[in-house]
Amino acid sequence: MEKTVQLYEGKAKKVFATEDPALCIVSYKDDATAFNGLKKGTIAGKGVVNNRMSNLLMQLLEKSGVPTHFVEELSDRDTLVKKVQIVPLEVIIRNVSAGSFAKHYGVEEGIVFDEPTIEFSYKNDELGDPLLNSYHALALKLATKEEVETIKKLAFKVNEVLTEYFKTLGIRLVDFKLEFGRLPDGTIVLADEISPDTCRLWDINTNEKLDKDRFRRDMGGVEDAYKEVFKRLMGE
Ligand code: TMP
Ligand code: ASP
């Protein structure tokens, strides 16, 4: 399958049409942004890591009963996916306090929760992705009640599967952000990516950060952190 016209360019990926109207090609870039695009940079090799990692995890999730947009990995940076209409919700699951949770509620990072939390933000860069709850999502007609229920159920299922999987790699899945899409028949599927850009991943023994927080917080060792996650995933 070949790329035809570019449909969209986001902060970390480009999306192309193909000859098949039901399929798109996503192409992962090395560009990195944070704080709603205020901070910009490049993470060498990130596009390859995020593409291959997302594809591996999406296939694992499919086997576990989570429908995804994944069709076929075309190259190190390009993947064929089902064309979806993105539900404009960022779905965040947390297992351990970190990031904006720690900041909002005035707690330290690293508190392990008894139960995972879920939150939504409105995927809207102009508004800075404001937090909202499921009632707000319905009021704004971002999704139907049934869709919100399906999304919640799938997001917790993703958490169960990925938490267990990352544990086998010596990685703690602290939190992550998911996006879902609608197929033409209305089916909700997992879309976007699952990568160190969209997850907090801590070494299980040392709590060393192996994710984009190293870029957000100018900690150094950004490329090495992505490479380390990739190495563990690929079993090298
Ligand atoms: P937060 O603690 O900043 O709210 O982030 C929660 C999780 O969501 C974290 O794993 C990083 C991810 N995330 C994104 O993927 N995109 C974003 O724009 C933001 C703010 C967070
Ligand atoms: N990707 C988001 C942005 O640029 C933020 C983040 O991941 O921290 O704004």
Side-chain angles (χ1 to χ4, degrees):
M1 196 68 68
E2 300 277 313
K3 293 172 188 166
T4 57
V5 291
Q6 183 174 309
L7 297 175
Y8 177 76
E9 177 160 8
K11 290 186 284 233
K13 298 188 284 299
K14 293 178 182 176
V15 183
F16 296 88
T18 68
E19 307 94 81
D20 184 336
L23 299 174
C24 290
I25 292 172
V26 288
S27 189
Y28 286 72
K29 306 188 284 184
D30 286 350
D31 299 350
T33 64
F35 315 116
N36 202 16
L38 280 178
K39 182 183 173 89
K40 288 190 176 71
T42 304
I43 302 174
K46 172 172 86 83
V48 176
V49 172
N50 288 10
N51 179 44
R52 297 194 53 199
M53 173 170 174
S54 286
N55 293 343
L56 191 143
L57 297 179
M58 295 261 179
Q59 289 172 88
L60 173 72
L61 288 164
E62 285 275 359
K63 279 190 215 137
S64 311
V66 176
T68 79
H69 70 167
F70 177 80
V71 178
E72 188 191 350
E73 187 168 284
L74 299 176
S75 71
D76 267 1
R77 288 177 186 271
D78 290 356
T79 293
L80 189 65
V81 297
K82 292 176 187 161
K83 185 169 187 171
V84 298
Q85 181 189 46
I86 289 286
V87 177
L89 290 173
E90 301 205 342
V91 183
I92 295 154
I93 298 271
R94 301 178 193 269
N95 297 302
V96 179
S97 66
S100 69
F101 183 98
K103 197 167 166 219
H104 282 147
Y105 303 117
V107 296
E108 73 217 58
E109 295 201 313
I111 302 165
V112 179
F113 304 150
D114 291 339
E115 296 285 337
T117 67
I118 189 165
E119 72 208 41
F120 300 108
S121 48
Y122 179 18
K123 186 175 157 64
N124 184 319
D125 282 341
E126 264 169 50
L127 300 175
D129 298 339
L131 268 176
L132 43 64
N133 65 34
S134 51
Y135 295 91
H136 298 139
L138 297 183
L140 292 166
K141 297 192 167 38
L142 305 182
T144 67
K145 211 168 180 166
E146 292 70 29
E147 286 174 336
V148 170
E149 283 313 307
T150 302
I151 286 171
K152 279 190 195 164
K153 215 173 69 198
L154 291 175
F156 282 119
K157 178 74 184 171
V158 169
N159 187 43
E160 276 176 36
V161 174
L162 294 189
T163 295
E164 282 311 305
Y165 180 65
F166 278 117
K167 212 183 275 174
T168 68
L169 308 178
I171 290 173
R172 187 179 340 193
L173 180 59
V174 170
D175 57 31
F176 57 94
K177 184 262 304 183
L178 301 175
E179 295 182 24
F180 292 86
R182 294 180 190 100
L183 295 179
D185 70 357
T187 308
I188 293 285
V189 299
L190 182 62
D192 193 46
E193 67 181 89
I194 310 172
S195 72
D197 276 20
T198 62
C199 302
R200 284 196 173 92
L201 304 168
W202 295 359
D203 181 88
I204 224 159
N205 297 312
T206 64
N207 282 338
E208 187 190 354
K209 295 184 198 304
L210 299 173
D211 57 61
K212 194 177 164 189
D213 269 352
R214 302 197 77 88
F215 169 80
R216 296 187 187 101
R217 301 178 189 189
D218 294 320
M219 295 170 74
V222 185
E223 276 93 359
D224 284 346
Y226 280 72
K227 271 190 223 151
E228 177 62 25
V229 172
F230 191 59
K231 202 177 84 180
R232 294 193 199 188
L233 281 162
M234 297 304 153
E236 286 161 18

